[in-house]
């Protein structure tokens, strides 16, 4: 069974549209027969997507550091909850368990996790798809920054294109299934 990792806010966001998008993504993941891998918390958008998957009969794998678990932030009803020693161990396990990576709206944690995965992809440590679900234009400023980095010569066009983006979950999953990693090496001239 294939699994998609979703990085998303431990807060709920200022508008209901973010929670609605998380529920919609859960439904689309299930329609494509994917299981969910995520950070294991029951708070914010993280809790919303986990609950939506479980309510629809899907499987959810959480990976949470012991320290956060002890603060009672862990979801208690997941299919599987991995408790790990550190944030580094968590990210490594989430990456190994998953066949692709999606960011829903979130803050520092969400951005850091997704950017780490696309960085590993760019260096060819993996060839799995990474994408943004651009709910109501939430990531427009990030996309503008990445276009700027490309125009200024810090990001290759091929590597810029690796980051998939769609404003609907169904559209993003279609792009995931058509994805193949670029052949060019990041350091080639
Ligand atoms: P943020 O976007 O800053 O809210 O961080 C969310 C991301 O970082 C999630 O994908 C989690 O993997 C991780 N994270 C941040 N805060 C928590 C928390 N309180 N409990 C569990 N994971 C968290």
């Amino acid at each position: 069974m294939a699994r998609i990792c979703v990085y998303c806010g431990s807060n709920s966001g200022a508008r209901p549209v973010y929670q609605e998008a998380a529920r919609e993504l859960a439904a689309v993941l299930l329609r494509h027969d994917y299981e969910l891998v995520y950070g294991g918390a029951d708070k914010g958008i993280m809790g919303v997507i986990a609950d939506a998957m479980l309510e629809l009969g899907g499987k959810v794998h959480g990976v949470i550091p012991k320290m956060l678990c002890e603060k009672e932030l862990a979801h208690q009803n997941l299919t599987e909850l991995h408790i790990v020693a550190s944030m580094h161990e968590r990210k490594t396990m989430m990456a190994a368990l998953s066949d692709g990576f999606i960011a829903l709206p979130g803050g520092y944690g969400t951005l850091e996790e997704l950017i780490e995965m696309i960085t590993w992809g760019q260096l060819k440590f993996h060839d799995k798809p990474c994408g943004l679900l651009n709910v109501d234009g939430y990531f427009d400023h990030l996309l503008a920054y990445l276009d700027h980095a490309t125009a200024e010569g810090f990001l290759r066009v091929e590597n810029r294109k690796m980051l998939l983006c769609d404003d609907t979950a169904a559209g993003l999953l279609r792009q995931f299934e058509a994805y193949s990693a670029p052949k060019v090496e990041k350091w080639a001239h």
Side-chain angles (χ1 to χ4, degrees), residues 6-11 38-43 46 63-65 68 73-74 87 90 94 105-113:
V6 177
Y7 305 121
C8 56
S10 53
N11 293 295
Y38 87 117
D42 64 357
K43 297 168 70 219
M46 298 177 75
V63 185
I64 194 162
L68 294 179
L73 297 170
M87 291 292 275
R90 170 204 239 175
M94 288 168 87
Y108 284 144
T110 301
L111 195 57
E112 186 258 323
E113 291 169 322

Side-chain angles (χ1 to χ4, degrees), residues 77-97:
N77 297 309
L78 303 179
T79 315
E80 193 173 35
L81 180 67
H82 299 275
I83 300 171
V84 296
S86 67
M87 291 292 275
H88 287 297
E89 201 183 319
R90 170 204 239 175
K91 290 192 289 181
T92 303
M93 180 178 275
M94 288 168 87
L97 286 172

Side-chain angles (χ1 to χ4, degrees), residues 62-131:
V63 185
I64 194 162
K66 192 163 177 281
M67 196 186 85
L68 294 179
C69 198
E70 282 164 357
K71 289 187 183 156
E72 297 180 357
L73 297 170
H75 197 298
Q76 297 304 314
N77 297 309
L78 303 179
T79 315
E80 193 173 35
L81 180 67
H82 299 275
I83 300 171
V84 296
S86 67
M87 291 292 275
H88 287 297
E89 201 183 319
R90 170 204 239 175
K91 290 192 289 181
T92 303
M93 180 178 275
M94 288 168 87
L97 286 172
S98 308
D99 300 290
F101 309 93
I102 290 177
L104 274 169
Y108 284 144
T110 301
L111 195 57
E112 186 258 323
E113 291 169 322
L114 197 269
I115 295 295
E116 182 169 47
M117 274 316 109
I118 192 103
T119 305
W120 292 6
Q122 176 178 258
L123 296 171
K124 303 204 179 301
F125 284 91
H126 71 75
D127 57 6
K128 302 170 186 176
C130 297

Side-chain angles (χ1 to χ4, degrees), residues 9-48:
S10 53
N11 293 295
S12 300
R15 293 182 296 128
V17 70
Y18 301 120
Q19 298 187 41
E20 286 157 18
R23 283 191 280 268
E24 172 66 11
L25 177 57
V28 172
L29 288 176
L30 272 170
R31 234 179 280 144
H32 286 251
D33 275 336
Y34 285 116
E35 297 181 356
L36 173 69
V37 175
Y38 87 117
D42 64 357
K43 297 168 70 219
I45 302 292
M46 298 177 75
V48 171

